[in-house]
């Protein structure tokens, strides 16, 4: 893009980002609320110094290491400020019009023509004590042309940001000056940030997405708060975490790893709810750990190390199933076409998951890494801190591989057939099936 065209695009985006937030209370009250203002894109890119006094010498926390330019994407960071209402976890309104200021990270196609019309708005996960873009998936998102938006809605993440780079984030506050420290404002902050993106990017479809603890926060929002406010999102994806039981207008898609399925008692699929369970996948598997390790070294000084009871990090690509779920959720919202149902993981009479002779869980969505295995991948582990979320990965020995695949080329042929079956069933996108073949040939 020519420099002048690029400048015009940035100016247009910035102008569109100054807007009135979506009302979180009846319309007459919303008209009295102060405007939500969006400042940015903020200067500063990697490499830089978070402690620098000049914001131009800093950069966004956990800025992606993916080659966005090669995919025709840009990463931008904005500050969002306004007034938010407060809610408790039971859906009771506890405050109105509390000032807030937070950050929003946007990764989007550089050229508007490449934009798919779908914005994936992620509630940044703060379980580790800082913001994680747990559902950023470079391959799937850039391939489809979606925009990804990460919202810092919770106190823990924002406080860490303030200390990490005072020049960049020192003015952020999501607690109303310390009056609301239990994230009472987080629900409305998340919605108002999404409304800002809706007005700027003009997506056809805006999806709320959240993983683990963030899914739990979104569950409270959908279950108890959404019926009392003006909707912002067209659909919801709850990944490796809880999902609401309330039947609402907006469709709900829940995708769980083997780790997350701990009981045979589960809600039934309906016209507005779908639940998928993925055999062998972990709550936090190999791909996420590999992606975040160099970023953690850069921004935190070191990547976390763990001593687990079994070799950690399942290699079953849960992200492939999540990408397929997004595809279905978009069609569900736009056309009313519900996603396919999926078989659940199987439990025995003793209330535990059943396993085959190789130790692999039975039932559920079975990607080729499970149905045509070369290793034991499970959702279970033991040990310190987060180990129980990592699953296990233990390659089979040579004797086992010869027994399973005695003929040359047999393994790859079975992988192709298994992936084709999952594509036909709707659990896997063709591009990810191809990546499986390339990676295992």
């Amino acid at each position: 893009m020519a420099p002048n065209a690029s400048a015009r695009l940035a100016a247009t985006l910035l102008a569109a980002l100054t807007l009135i937030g979506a009302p979180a209370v009846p319309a007459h009250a919303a008209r009295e609320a102060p405007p939500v203002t969006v400042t940015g894109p903020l200067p500063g890119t990697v490499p830089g110094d978070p402690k620098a006094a000049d914001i131009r010498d800093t950069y966004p926390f956990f800025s992606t290491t993916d080659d966005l330019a090669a995919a025709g994407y840009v990463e931008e960071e904005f500050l969002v400020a306004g007034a938010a209402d407060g809610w408790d976890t039971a859906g009771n309104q506890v405050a109105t019009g509390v000032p807030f200021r937070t950050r929003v990270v946007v990764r989007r196609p550089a050229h508007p023509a490449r934009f798919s019309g779908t914005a994936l708005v992620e509630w940044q996960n703060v379980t580790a004590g800082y913001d994680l873009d747990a559902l950023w998936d470079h391959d799937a998102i850039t391939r489809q042309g979606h925009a990804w938006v990460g919202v810092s809605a919770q106190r823990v993440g924002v406080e860490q940001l303030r200390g990490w780079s005072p020049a960049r984030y020192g003015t952020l506050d999501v607690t109303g000056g310390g009056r609301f420290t239990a994230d009472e404002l987080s629900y409305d902050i998340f919605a108002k940030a999404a409304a800002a993106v809706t007005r700027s990017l003009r997506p056809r479809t805006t999806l709320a997405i959240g993983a683990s603890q963030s899914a739990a926060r979104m569950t409270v929002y959908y279950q108890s708060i959404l019926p009392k406010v003006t909707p912002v999102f067209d659909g919801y994806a709850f990944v490796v975490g809880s999902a609401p039981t309330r039947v609402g207008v907006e469709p709900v898609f829940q995708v769980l790893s083997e780790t997350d399925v701990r009981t045979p008692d589960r809600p039934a699929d309906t016209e507005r709810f779908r639940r998928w369970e993925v055999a062998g996948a972990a709550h936090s598997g190999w791909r996420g750990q590999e992606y975040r390790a160099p970023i953690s070294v850069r921004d935190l000084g070191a990547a976390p190390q763990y001593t687990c009871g079994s070799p950690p990090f399942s290699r079953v690509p849960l992200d492939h199933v999540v990408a397929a779920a997004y595809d279905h959720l978009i069609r569900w919202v736009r056309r009313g076409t519900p996603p396919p149902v999926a078989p659940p993981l199987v439990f025995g009479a003793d209330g535990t998951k059943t396993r085959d002779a190789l130790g692999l869980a039975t039932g559920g969505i079975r990607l080729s890494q499970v149905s045509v295995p070369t290793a034991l991948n499970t959702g279970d582990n033991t040990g310190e801190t987060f180990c129980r979320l990592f699953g296990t990965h233990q390659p089979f020995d040579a004797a086992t591989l010869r027994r399973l695949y005695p003929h040359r080329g047999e393994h790859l042929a079975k992988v192709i057939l298994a992936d084709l079956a999952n594509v036909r069933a709707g659990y896997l996108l063709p591009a990810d099936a191809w990546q499986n073949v390339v990676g295992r040939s």
Side-chain angles (χ1 to χ4, degrees):
M1 182 181 291
N4 289 341
S6 179
R8 287 196 299 271
L9 176 62
T12 300
L13 178 63
L14 181 57
L17 278 169
T18 302
L19 48 97
I20 302 298
V25 290
H28 68 277
R31 285 195 298 270
E32 300 171 0
V36 173
T37 60
V38 181
T39 305
L42 300 182
T45 59
V46 176
D49 178 7
K51 301 303 183 186
D54 191 328
I55 189 175
R56 293 172 296 183
D57 298 324
T58 67
Y59 61 89
F61 178 74
F62 259 50
S63 177
T64 184
T65 53
D66 290 326
D67 190 350
L68 294 182
Y73 266 62
V74 295
E75 178 182 76
E76 298 168 320
E77 187 175 47
F78 301 88
L79 299 184
V80 182
D85 296 334
W87 303 84
D88 65 19
T89 56
N92 300 306
Q93 191 167 11
V94 297
T96 58
V98 181
F100 76 89
R101 186 178 181 88
T102 193
R103 69 143 187 178
V104 173
V105 178
V106 178
R107 297 170 190 153
R108 61 172 180 83
H111 299 282
R114 278 267 291 118
F115 180 38
S116 69
T118 294
L120 303 172
V121 184
E122 179 172 358
W123 189 308
Q124 295 263 36
N125 186 283
V126 298
T127 301
Y130 46 85
D131 281 354
L132 282 183
D133 49 358
L135 295 177
W136 166 249
D137 182 342
H138 172 270
D139 292 344
I141 292 174
T142 61
R143 183 176 66 217
Q144 299 293 87
H146 300 331
W148 175 90
V149 180
V151 180
S152 298
Q154 290 184 254
R155 175 184 59 81
V156 169
V158 168
E159 287 183 352
Q160 187 273 341
L161 289 172
R162 287 165 55 97
W164 186 77
S165 181
R168 194 173 190 89
Y169 302 122
T171 63
L172 302 190
D173 178 33
V174 294
T175 68
R179 290 181 293 150
F180 301 98
T181 59
D183 290 326
E184 295 94 334
L185 306 181
S186 62
Y187 310 103
D188 201 25
I189 289 172
F190 182 63
K192 278 186 163 59
V197 173
T198 299
R199 300 290 181 88
S200 61
L201 296 174
R202 299 185 181 276
R204 180 181 175 189
T205 305
T206 302
L207 302 180
I209 63 175
S212 192
Q213 184 201 133
S214 298
R217 304 293 303 185
M218 280 176 27
T219 296
V220 171
Y221 179 77
Y222 191 104
Q223 185 78 24
S224 303
I225 301 170
L226 182 56
K228 304 173 184 178
V229 300
T230 301
V232 169
F233 304 102
D234 301 304
Y236 290 77
F238 298 81
V239 181
V240 298
S242 63
T245 57
R246 182 181 70 84
V247 178
V249 174
E250 299 85 358
V252 169
F253 211 135
Q254 184 182 33
V255 180
L256 300 179
S257 73
E258 181 188 316
T259 311
D260 310 300
V261 183
R262 302 182 182 277
T263 171
D265 299 324
R266 47 175 68 89
D269 290 330
T270 70
E271 292 184 355
R272 309 308 289 167
F273 173 77
R274 205 53 100 241
R275 170 169 161 146
W276 284 359
E277 302 172 2
V278 184
H283 184 94
S284 181
W286 175 258
R287 177 166 180 165
Q289 298 294 327
E290 284 293 286
Y291 168 71
R292 288 190 289 271
I295 300 176
S296 297
V297 171
R298 183 195 70 200
D299 291 356
L300 301 174
Q305 301 294 319
Y306 305 96
T307 301
C308 301
S310 300
F313 305 125
S314 168
R315 271 38 166 204
V316 175
L318 181 70
D319 53 290
H320 288 181
V321 179
V322 172
Y326 292 155
D327 231 38
H328 287 296
L329 186 54
I330 293 166
R331 284 195 291 273
W332 205 358
V333 166
R334 294 181 181 179
R335 306 176 193 170
T337 305
V341 298
L345 292 167
V346 176
F347 282 74
D350 63 352
T352 63
K353 290 184 279 270
T354 62
R355 300 191 176 277
D356 63 18
L358 295 170
L360 295 158
T362 61
I365 292 175
R366 307 184 71 75
L367 299 178
S368 59
Q369 289 82 357
V370 171
S371 61
V372 192
T374 58
L376 174 62
N377 286 291
T378 79
D380 300 333
N381 211 325
T382 60
E384 63 180 345
T385 57
F386 296 117
C387 282
R388 66 184 183 85
L389 304 179
F390 297 155
T392 60
H393 173 78
Q394 300 181 68
F396 295 150
D397 59 28
T400 300
L401 291 174
R402 284 194 299 270
R403 176 171 58 81
L404 292 173
Y405 315 107
H407 304 295
R408 182 178 177 84
E410 185 175 0
H411 173 257
L412 184 58
K414 289 184 175 181
V415 167
I416 293 171
L417 291 174
D419 284 340
L420 284 175
N422 280 318
V423 170
R424 293 192 192 100
Y427 309 143
L428 185 67
L429 296 177
D432 290 323
W434 174 245
Q435 286 300 317
N436 274 340
V437 173
V438 170
R440 301 176 74 182
S441 60

